[in-house]
Amino acid sequence: HYQVAEGDFRPELSYLVRHQGTPVAYLMSQDADEIGSIFVQHLGVVPAYRRQGVAAGLLSWTAARARAAGLSASILTVASDNEAALRTYARLGYKHVSCLSVYRKELP
């Protein structure tokens, strides 16, 4: 079983990207359960700025800062049907390590 994260928020490894003062992307990190690793909890890019390398640049920047902070791995999750994200993560060297199943229950 692979646990993703329950760690503390890492503001020094979390970023907001602006273009001409307007927020266009963000990344939030926290400590991963795996010692020495960071978990990218949230990553988002405004639709008009997608497919321009913003997410890849943000992930690369975060990885460099995490390495400088002494961390050895970056972990993230993604929906299995998000093909654009899957391609980006593979291109950046992320490897598939686990599947996560989502369950839902209606509350009466």
Side-chain angles (χ1 to χ4, degrees):
H1 176 68
Y2 191 83
Q3 288 187 324
V4 176
E6 291 183 11
D8 289 335
F9 173 61
R10 297 287 298 258
E12 75 281 12
L13 294 172
S14 299
Y15 306 98
L16 176 65
V17 177
R18 295 176 188 267
H19 180 257
Q20 299 178 346
T22 301
V24 298
Y26 75 101
L27 183 148
M28 291 175 54
S29 297
Q30 67 185 64
D31 289 323
D33 284 346
E34 182 181 314
I35 294 173
S37 299
I38 195 74
F39 176 65
V40 176
Q41 177 67 35
H42 297 284
L43 171 62
V45 179
V46 171
Y49 290 86
R50 292 179 185 160
R51 302 184 60 90
Q52 297 179 39
V54 177
L58 194 48
L59 283 165
S60 295
W61 174 264
T62 303
R65 304 285 91 53
R67 273 193 306 280
L71 299 171
S72 60
S74 174
I75 300 167
L76 52 79
T77 60
V78 62
S80 60
D81 63 350
N82 188 341
E83 294 187 19
L86 291 167
R87 284 190 302 275
T88 297
Y89 302 151
R91 190 172 60 253
L92 294 173
Y94 285 85
K95 306 289 184 212
H96 179 263
V97 295
S98 179
C99 287
L100 175 67
S101 296
V102 177
Y103 292 83
R104 184 173 196 271
K105 175 184 175 180
E106 294 295 327
L107 302 175

